Amino acid sequence: MSSQLRWASSVCTNDEGGIMERRTFIKAGLGLGGVAAVGAAIDMTGIGAADNPYLMGNYAPVLDEITETSIQVTGSIPTDLNGLFLRNGPNPVDWVNPKKHHWFLGDGMLHGVRLDNGNALWYKNRRVLGNDSTANTSVISHAGHTYAIVEAGGYPVEIDGELNSLDTKPFFGDRTEGFTAHPKYDADTGELHAICYDYGSDPNNVRYVVIDDAGRHKETRTIPLPSRSMVHECAITQQYVLLLDLPITLDFYKIGRGYLPFSWNDAHQARIGLISRADASADIQWFDVDPTYIFHTFNAHEDNAGRVVFEAAAYGRIFDQDWLGPFNEAPPLLKRYTLDIQSGKATVEQLDDRPIEFPRIHPALYGKSYRYGYALGFSSALQPDFQEIKKYDFEQGTSQTLVFGDGKMAAEPVFVPRAGATNEDDGYLLTLVFDPASNKSDLVIVPAEDLSAGAIATIHLPRRVPFGFHGDWITA
């Protein structure tokens, strides 16, 4: 079901030569075509990449590690941005079978930019090595420690301030199992909440894990999940953790043939479970939903009626015909889910017809009511191109879109609050932007209050940063 919201629109140019579009429309249903082919004209790897677009163009790995301290900057870096921008993603440096290689596979590679008092001190990239883990999906900072993380049984790998992988055991060794790519931070308690799975070790269960504010393991609950679904993401509210049991499930046929072992499963009823955070003995309340898959939520909260509401980038059927990546079968569209605890029913509204992915919010608002969300956008569902970043005002039903011109392609926009900020959107969006003309990437800083201002600083990196997944801002 789609909402019938209507949005006004206006267009203006920005200083980077792109277009900022302010829209307020919502509705539709688009098909998705060849995002895998974006930027894929050149074989960058020498390992047979012509057979696999996820090994070509800016999807291709970089094969060396560099450090650069002489960095050109256009504009002015805000002086209150003192810390480290980190981005993680898969970067296979050894030979892979191009006919079977999935975008999600490969050792992690960190790309980092250190900022201090208005200066870009250095850029570095380093492989993630340690704990026998391909921690290639995200990076988090918690209780004074920084970790590269991944789902499906891989251990977190601690990272120091120079991007080196450490031999320490995650969470002080208090937890001896794999973690997740997407824990959720509760700013009120200082805790991390996670849904973790490792079907190779325990094929019938997932685990709800809590890491306390000191960075130590606090609690693990074992939850039966015989569907063996890919639980990439969770969400939290003040009372609940959301378990997304959706119809991409473990596929033994693919396991036996060396592919990423998950497929769309029509036989599995999509459902969302509410797990009580406080009462380990409480039953999970399940809500059936129409077939969908969600890699990433914006956020969840409980409204004034006690319903659980969350927004997400929701796909239709994927991991079905395309075995190498997520984009070629159905577009990820912004949808709002409302779970009515009293009736046991779920409703869904489509809030936009333009594809989005990699949503972010203010990091202190997970589990709480919030107003603004940010995401990477595609200008067309038929040819997703990563040319946009978007800002949504969920209270007003409006959005802004900043388009990077000249074929430039952006990445996940990381929101960083401004020092002393009093408004939710008072801060900066940091995003990597790949320029195919120079075959290099920039770290672009945009004021989150108004995307029409365009970039206030562009940090020109000495190399391209391959299309990857998730990053974070680590305060100095």
Side-chain angles (χ1 to χ4, degrees), residues 233-296:
E233 169 75 295
C234 72
I236 62 172
T237 71
Q238 292 183 313
Q239 296 188 69
Y240 302 104
V241 175
L242 279 66
L243 172 53
L244 307 179
D245 183 15
L246 304 174
I248 293 180
T249 62
L250 194 66
D251 185 334
F252 289 98
Y253 181 90
K254 286 185 176 178
I255 292 175
R257 286 155 182 80
Y259 291 91
L260 186 80
F262 288 94
S263 291
W264 186 269
N265 183 355
D266 281 323
H268 178 57
Q269 170 63 56
R271 59 180 189 162
I272 300 168
L274 295 184
I275 303 168
S276 172
R277 289 174 51 173
D279 186 357
S281 66
D283 291 337
I284 299 175
Q285 185 174 4
W286 291 103
F287 297 80
D288 289 349
V289 296
D290 290 338
T292 190
Y293 190 78
I294 294 169
F295 285 109
H296 305 117

Side-chain angles (χ1 to χ4, degrees), residues 185-198:
Y185 175 70
D186 184 331
D188 290 340
T189 65
E191 297 172 337
L192 289 179
H193 297 262
I195 300 293
C196 310
Y197 71 93
D198 181 1

Side-chain angles (χ1 to χ4, degrees), residues 88-400:
N88 196 0
N91 192 89
V93 296
D94 299 319
W95 186 89
V96 297
N97 184 340
K99 293 183 179 180
K100 297 183 178 182
H101 176 73
H102 195 284
W103 186 31
F104 294 0
L105 302 178
D107 290 337
M109 177 72 81
L110 294 171
H111 299 260
V113 182
R114 173 74 68 180
L115 304 182
D116 181 68
N117 196 33
N119 299 299
L121 300 186
W122 50 253
Y123 160 85
K124 298 180 181 182
N125 70 297
R126 296 292 186 271
R127 293 180 67 183
V128 179
L129 301 168
N131 287 340
D132 296 319
S133 174
T134 55
N136 69 4
T137 309
S138 190
V139 60
I140 59 168
S141 179
H142 184 63
H145 297 262
T146 300
Y147 296 104
I149 52 178
V150 68
E151 67 196 82
Y155 288 102
V157 176
E158 188 170 0
I159 307 297
D160 70 14
E162 301 296 321
L163 277 61
N164 300 305
S165 300
L166 305 179
D167 292 329
T168 57
K169 295 302 178 185
F171 313 122
F172 301 93
D174 290 345
R175 176 169 168 76
T176 58
E177 297 176 297
F179 199 49
T180 179
H182 288 290
K184 294 300 181 183
Y185 175 70
D186 184 331
D188 290 340
T189 65
E191 297 172 337
L192 289 179
H193 297 262
I195 300 293
C196 310
Y197 71 93
D198 181 1
Y199 298 136
S201 298
D202 186 350
N204 296 310
N205 300 292
V206 298
R207 285 167 175 79
Y208 165 41
V209 176
V210 183
I211 306 298
D212 71 15
D213 60 349
R216 297 182 180 275
H217 174 240
K218 176 181 178 180
E219 180 184 8
T220 290
R221 299 184 208 168
T222 298
I223 299 171
L225 200 72
S227 63
R228 303 179 185 131
S229 60
M230 178 193 284
V231 187
H232 183 73
E233 169 75 295
C234 72
I236 62 172
T237 71
Q238 292 183 313
Q239 296 188 69
Y240 302 104
V241 175
L242 279 66
L243 172 53
L244 307 179
D245 183 15
L246 304 174
I248 293 180
T249 62
L250 194 66
D251 185 334
F252 289 98
Y253 181 90
K254 286 185 176 178
I255 292 175
R257 286 155 182 80
Y259 291 91
L260 186 80
F262 288 94
S263 291
W264 186 269
N265 183 355
D266 281 323
H268 178 57
Q269 170 63 56
R271 59 180 189 162
I272 300 168
L274 295 184
I275 303 168
S276 172
R277 289 174 51 173
D279 186 357
S281 66
D283 291 337
I284 299 175
Q285 185 174 4
W286 291 103
F287 297 80
D288 289 349
V289 296
D290 290 338
T292 190
Y293 190 78
I294 294 169
F295 285 109
H296 305 117
T297 62
F298 280 87
N299 193 24
H301 72 282
E302 296 156 41
D303 67 12
N304 292 334
R307 301 172 300 184
V308 171
V309 181
F310 72 95
E311 287 79 25
Y315 293 78
R317 176 188 295 267
I318 57 172
F319 280 50
D320 184 22
Q321 300 299 313
D322 185 351
W323 291 14
L324 304 181
F327 291 126
N328 276 332
E329 297 176 273
L333 300 175
L334 174 58
K335 295 186 179 182
R336 173 178 291 145
Y337 290 81
T338 301
L339 311 181
D340 190 319
I341 294 172
Q342 297 300 318
S343 70
K345 301 295 184 181
T347 57
V348 59
E349 302 171 87
Q350 182 175 306
L351 301 184
D352 203 345
D353 65 354
R354 300 164 297 172
I356 60 161
E357 250 296 3
F358 301 110
R360 299 293 293 245
I361 68 165
H362 191 299
L365 295 179
Y366 288 108
K368 304 174 184 176
S369 178
Y370 72 116
R371 179 172 178 176
Y372 300 108
Y374 313 91
L376 175 66
F378 313 150
S379 65
S380 167
L382 298 178
Q383 184 64 33
D385 50 19
F386 310 137
Q387 288 192 5
E388 305 173 355
I389 56 173
K390 297 179 182 294
K391 175 185 180 180
Y392 289 100
D393 183 334
F394 292 116
E395 285 187 5
Q396 297 297 318
T398 61
S399 71
Q400 287 184 299

